[in-house]
Amino acid sequence: MKLSVVIAAYNERENVVPLTERLVRALDGLGADWELVYVVEGTDGTREALDAIARAVPRVRVLYRAEPAGLGAAFRRGFAAVRPDADLVLTMDADLNHQPEEIPALVSALEVSGADIVVGSRFVAGSSVTGIPLWKRALSTSMNAAMRFLWGLKTRDKTSGFRVYRAPALRSLAFRNDNFAFLPEMLIDATRRGYFILEAPIRFTVRVHGVSKMHILTTSRSYLSLLRSRWDGWSLFALFALAGGAAVRAAVSLAAFPGDGASFRAGAAAAVPLISGVLLLLVFFFLARRLVGRQAACFALLVFAFPSPPFLAATSAPDGGPETVLLGLAALWAAAESREHPENAALPVLSGLAGGLGFRLSLQVLACVAPAALLVWRSRRDRRGRLRAVALAAAGFALAAAAGAVLDVRAPISARVDSAALPSADVVSNAGRLALVHLPGLVAPGAEPGGTPAWRRGAALALVALNVAAVLLAFRRSPEALRRGRTIAQGLAPLALAGALAAALFVFSDAARTPGPAARSLLFVFPLLAACLGLLLARISLRSFPLALGIGLAVAAFDLSSASFLPGPPAPPVAQVGRRP
């Protein structure tokens, strides 16, 4: 194994000598062919101290520049100087914040796990942090939280400089930032390229000698500059889909409530489902990004933002439809985040609150509450932690449901339990109608038997076939997915379970025999179909992005062209399982 260590040192004369002595002992203990590259800036004598060491230890090299150009620029020079046959590249700070004795553990973690990058993390079990100023803790915590939200990075410690890279992976990464923010920027690029990033615990201690080069204003500007890299092509893709979906929902609201705008009640009735619908688009995108990845989530959002007219009508009417789907998917999203961030006790509570509020609108939300509870349960490893997480989610659910009961005394929970929730006498017939009539009608109006033009029926059947193919391919176990330890089907499992439960409630009720569109009783089936279609288009985009985009836009155009099939918002409440008209 050939290991290159790159360290940037700016006015660190008092630290580099003891650091190098400890590094040499740790690296010799690895039994690897190593080199140590220092990128030195400043005029305090750091260069002279390291030059003396380099004369005694030939495997130590020094790159010098008097004027500081920034931490990112220094590491860019250091990476360029790494020998071309290196297998691994390790980076760390020069101020003794990082312990050289932990290098073998990081290298071993990379070799055992097969990871492309191992991050020495301050925020995982087994790590420790001592002596760090409050403002640094606050800045690091807020930046990590913001980057997790904006980029969906799973890595908890995105600003740690103690890392081990596989050399081929490092050479493929790019960063533009010349200051501290180059560290998260590298992880952003690595995540987009699909690299496996692992975190390992470290001991992080405050410097004893010298002065920190991390100033709050410079560092904050550095992190803010990352926003430029946030708006790449996929971000603009998602923004287009979001804006287009919001525009379509606004058009539906205006068409449903024509007038001169003088009626406050009419305006409010149109505005509430519109706001809920836009929030629904955001929550679906965040959930899909967590479950199936960023690129597939962008395509899925395109499908979800321009849905079939029956689903659009069901989630645009001012009768609780948009809020029902919004709260159900929000419960799933918070539970999925809880699985990725088990240390956060607020996420199970948030999942329970969303489920409880949705439960007051419709029993259909239980189709999302069940998989959300399973996600919360699996988010903890030990039995005690699982019971605590589920108890927090249950408390949030009970609190929201009780608050809803107080605010909505005219419609108690017992009003949701009526004949529609009882088993139907003809389950087999209901299942047949679901598969042959209602699901095709939900995906593409005109696919079900009826008086539609032949060309539209053919296009609708082709769209149904595309959705069926997407579902089948999404749940196919590929060797590549198995190698990464998690199949696509496992990622889709929460949405799949929600869709299956919604379909089961539909089959085992009288809703299947209700005349008219059935989308209002199958609200949580369409998100699964959109996610599967997004995965299929993302796979096609690997070979031809224009083809994948063309298919997605064709699906959206077909749905928009079906505007004549769009029913107006019905007067009665949601005709869904468990809700009394």
Side-chain angles (χ1 to χ4, degrees):
M1 178 179 64
K2 298 178 181 179
L3 173 65
S4 295
V5 180
V6 179
I7 301 176
Y10 171 38
N11 288 346
E12 296 287 357
R13 178 176 55 85
E14 296 173 300
N15 293 315
V16 291
V17 174
L19 172 62
T20 306
E21 293 174 349
R22 293 169 61 185
L23 272 171
V24 170
R25 288 195 296 268
L27 296 173
D28 284 341
L30 278 176
D33 180 8
W34 59 269
E35 69 169 351
L36 177 54
V37 179
Y38 275 104
V39 185
V40 180
E41 297 176 340
T43 57
D44 72 330
T46 301
R47 176 192 180 184
E48 289 74 12
L50 287 174
D51 281 342
I53 295 175
R55 287 191 290 270
V57 184
R59 285 190 284 186
V60 175
R61 291 192 286 146
V62 180
L63 307 178
Y64 178 68
R65 172 176 175 160
E67 293 296 324
L71 186 65
F75 271 102
R76 189 180 292 110
R77 292 174 57 209
F79 293 151
V82 167
R83 63 187 185 184
D85 60 344
D87 298 312
L88 304 178
V89 178
L90 183 142
T91 63
M92 61 188 304
D93 295 347
D95 54 8
L96 294 176
N97 282 337
H98 303 143
Q99 313 310 309
E101 293 75 17
E102 294 181 323
I103 291 176
L106 297 184
V107 173
S108 175
L110 183 138
E111 293 178 335
V112 170
S113 66
D116 299 299
I117 304 172
V118 169
V119 177
S121 176
R122 297 162 289 178
F123 305 134
V124 296
S127 61
S128 64
V129 179
T130 58
I132 304 302
L134 179 61
W135 74 267
K136 281 190 176 182
R137 285 176 179 263
L139 181 62
S140 179
T141 301
S142 59
M143 286 298 104
N144 276 281
M147 286 180 284
R148 181 178 65 196
F149 175 78
L150 290 172
W151 286 275
L153 292 179
K154 298 180 181 179
T155 308
R156 293 180 178 87
D157 195 348
K158 306 168 186 63
T159 57
S160 171
F162 200 5
R163 301 176 181 177
V164 183
Y165 302 86
R166 292 192 186 275
L170 177 63
R171 294 189 187 102
S172 69
L173 299 179
F175 61 92
R176 297 182 297 179
N177 202 292
D178 288 336
N179 291 296
F180 288 93
F182 90 96
L183 291 166
E185 188 177 2
M186 293 187 73
L187 293 183
I188 293 169
D189 192 33
T191 300
R192 289 173 178 170
R193 295 176 186 273
Y195 288 138
F196 178 17
I197 305 172
L198 178 71
E199 290 185 89
I202 60 171
R203 293 181 294 112
F204 189 91
T205 59
V206 70
R207 66 163 62 237
V208 176
H209 303 291
V211 179
S212 173
K213 317 306 183 297
M214 185 177 180
H215 303 293
I216 185 170
L217 292 179
T218 303
T219 305
S220 298
R221 286 197 300 268
S222 175
Y223 285 134
L224 288 175
S225 68
L226 275 180
L227 291 175
R228 294 180 303 173
S229 66
R230 178 66 183 89
W231 299 106
D232 61 356
W234 290 106
S235 299
L236 296 176
F237 188 159
L239 185 62
F240 162 78
L242 178 64
V248 169
R249 292 178 179 276
V252 171
S253 297
L254 291 175
F257 295 94
D260 57 5
S263 173
F264 177 80
R265 293 183 60 185
V272 171
L274 174 59
I275 295 172
S276 299
V278 174
L279 291 177
L280 171 60
L281 297 178
L282 286 170
V283 169
F284 173 79
F285 176 69
F286 292 143
L287 175 61
R289 188 177 67 177
R290 175 59 68 199
L291 297 181
V292 298
R294 184 165 175 253
Q295 296 181 9
C298 288
F299 281 111
L301 179 63
L302 179 64
V303 176
F304 196 80
F306 302 96
S308 64
F311 184 79
L312 179 60
T315 54
S316 299
D319 56 6
E323 293 77 18
T324 296
V325 187
L326 170 63
L327 292 169
L329 295 186
L332 272 180
W333 172 61
E337 289 293 325
S338 177
R339 183 181 60 182
E340 298 295 335
H341 306 282
E343 77 286 351
N344 193 329
L347 290 171
V349 177
L350 180 60
S351 178
L353 288 172
L357 290 173
F359 176 73
R360 292 302 308 173
L361 294 172
S362 169
L363 293 183
Q364 271 198 82
V365 171
L366 294 178
C368 288
V369 170
L374 289 176
L375 284 174
V376 171
W377 173 265
R378 292 175 61 85
S379 67
R380 273 63 173 174
R381 295 182 179 179
D382 59 292
R383 183 178 179 83
R384 183 178 180 181
R386 288 177 170 179
L387 291 175
R388 179 173 178 269
V390 172
L392 289 172
F397 183 93
L399 178 63
V406 172
L407 297 175
D408 191 16
V409 294
R410 294 175 300 174
I413 293 178
S414 59
R416 272 75 175 168
V417 183
D418 60 359
S419 59
L422 298 176
S424 172
D426 197 358
V427 174
V428 175
S429 178
N430 288 351
R433 281 192 290 270
L434 174 69
L436 300 178
V437 178
H438 297 303
L439 283 180
L442 174 66
V443 173
E448 67 273 23
T452 58
W455 71 268
R456 181 174 289 278
R457 177 166 169 74
L461 290 174
L463 181 53
V464 172
L466 182 66
N467 277 268
V468 172
V471 172
L472 294 177
L473 289 175
F475 289 91
R476 182 175 65 89
R477 297 169 67 88
S478 66
E480 181 181 357
L482 291 174
R483 182 180 66 82
R484 292 190 174 275
R486 186 177 178 186
T487 65
I488 292 175
Q490 288 172 319
L492 275 176
L495 277 178
L497 181 56
L501 290 175
L505 288 173
F506 182 80
V507 169
F508 285 93
S509 74
D510 289 332
R513 293 199 297 266
T514 302
R520 310 189 68 77
S521 300
L522 296 170
L523 292 174
F524 295 107
V525 175
F526 193 82
L528 170 64
L529 299 176
C532 291
L533 194 53
L535 278 168
L536 175 61
L537 295 178
R539 182 174 297 182
I540 295 174
S541 72
L542 296 177
R543 295 181 177 271
S544 174
F545 177 80
L547 176 60
L549 180 60
I551 295 174
L553 292 176
V555 172
F558 176 84
D559 288 333
L560 290 178
S561 70
S562 303
S564 60
F565 291 80
L566 183 62
V574 180
Q576 55 198 22
V577 175
R579 176 77 183 246
R580 180 181 296 278

